[in-house]
Amino acid sequence: MLGIGPGWDEHEFETLGMKLAERGRRTDEIIAALRRLLTERDVSFEGRYYHFQHVTIEPLLPRLPELWVGGGSKIQTSLSPDKPYVVPAVLNRIAGADGWLARAAGSQQMVKDDVRAIREHCAKIGRDPNSLRYGHLNFLHLVDTSDREKALSLQRPIFERVMGTHRTFENLQQSYFLGTKREIVERIRDLEAAGVQDMVLATCDYDLEQLERFATDIVRRFEREP
């Protein structure tokens, strides 16, 4: 798989001498270049942002990897101009890929709305919506309590250390998998029912025990019969 995302942090773009407003067009252009670079020899490319002559990447791959693109709706903050909906250019990028990974910075409902919007867009342009894989990335930290408020109090310092405090804790609860194990499993089931097929779960610290708990407390709830 080859995963591509356009980025969001304006400081990163400034460091590279790029404009945040160009990120979508740059992403689409480099995807077009990569489709050739990974499957052809002696490639020349002349784009608005990227241009090169007679480039070969060895060894050539037997086929182009599955292309997954990230993006989607985001709860608006002062740090990012991203919209609380999927803009047409992003819909086109997703519809041209093999898979889509919904970002973690939206709300539960935003992810479900994005799935519906993408499926409708695929159908509109003549692509079978079922030919695209629908995924979602999220963060969690499992704790041993069935009491929501206690779970949140244990999770809050861990999440705020990683995510910062520029967003309210209420905002973090909208976006990330916070709360009891039961609540987290219910959120994943809700996304599954909405059409999400693949889930990427990320830890918020370096505790390997969390990975073990992901496997036993979360993943096993979703195992399928052969």
Side-chain angles (χ1 to χ4, degrees):
M1 292 182 181
L2 173 62
I4 295 179
W8 64 271
D9 190 335
E10 190 164 11
H11 298 299
E12 294 178 348
F13 287 85
E14 291 173 349
T15 300
L16 295 171
M18 299 178 181
K19 297 178 181 178
L20 185 67
E22 299 173 346
R23 59 183 171 160
R25 293 188 295 271
R26 283 183 175 274
T27 300
D28 292 334
E29 192 169 292
I30 203 64
I31 288 174
L34 281 171
R35 287 186 183 279
R36 296 190 58 202
L37 284 168
L38 296 178
T39 58
E40 303 174 25
R41 289 185 170 84
D42 193 30
V43 177
S44 295
F45 186 87
E46 200 66 37
R48 178 177 178 180
Y49 304 102
Y50 305 101
H51 49 86
F52 47 85
Q53 300 292 323
H54 307 297
V55 174
T56 299
I57 295 178
E58 296 282 4
L60 281 183
L61 301 175
R63 62 176 178 79
L64 189 70
E66 280 190 25
L67 177 65
W68 283 61
V69 296
S73 301
K74 179 181 182 296
I75 296 175
Q76 290 188 293
T77 68
S78 59
L79 290 182
S80 171
D82 290 348
K83 307 295 187 219
Y85 54 86
V86 191
V87 300
V90 176
L91 285 172
N92 287 330
R93 186 177 309 127
I94 293 168
D98 299 297
W100 164 67
L101 194 66
R103 64 198 307 172
S107 67
Q108 182 90 355
Q109 188 60 48
M110 283 177 175
V111 175
K112 295 192 291 183
D113 290 344
D114 285 357
V115 172
R116 183 170 59 253
I118 293 166
R119 293 185 65 87
E120 290 175 354
H121 184 74
C122 285
K124 182 179 178 180
I125 64 172
R127 176 176 180 177
D128 179 3
N130 294 324
S131 66
L132 182 76
R133 295 290 299 185
Y134 300 83
H136 178 50
L137 160 70
N138 214 303
F139 293 79
L140 64 157
H141 182 84
L142 298 177
V143 293
D144 289 319
T145 179
S146 58
D147 180 86
R148 175 175 172 77
E149 293 307 314
K150 184 176 180 181
L152 293 176
S153 68
L154 294 171
Q155 294 162 337
R156 181 169 186 168
I158 294 169
F159 269 83
E160 289 185 340
R161 185 182 70 241
V162 175
M163 306 300 177
T165 55
H166 58 280
R167 290 175 287 176
T168 66
F169 189 54
E170 288 70 25
N171 178 285
L172 297 183
Q173 292 174 59
Q174 285 182 287
S175 297
Y176 304 112
F177 288 167
L178 283 140
T180 65
K181 287 183 287 186
R182 180 178 178 179
E183 289 174 315
I184 292 169
V185 168
E186 288 176 351
R187 283 187 68 167
I188 296 174
R189 290 199 190 283
D190 182 49
L191 292 174
E192 182 182 40
V196 173
Q197 301 156 301
D198 298 276
M199 185 70 63
V200 179
L201 301 179
T203 63
C204 288
D205 61 22
Y206 300 110
D207 183 2
L208 292 179
E209 182 185 355
Q210 282 291 311
L211 296 182
E212 296 291 343
R213 297 186 66 174
F214 285 8
T216 57
D217 297 350
I218 304 295
V219 176
R220 285 185 182 173
R221 305 281 187 96
F222 296 89
E223 289 179 343
R224 295 286 183 265
E225 291 295 327

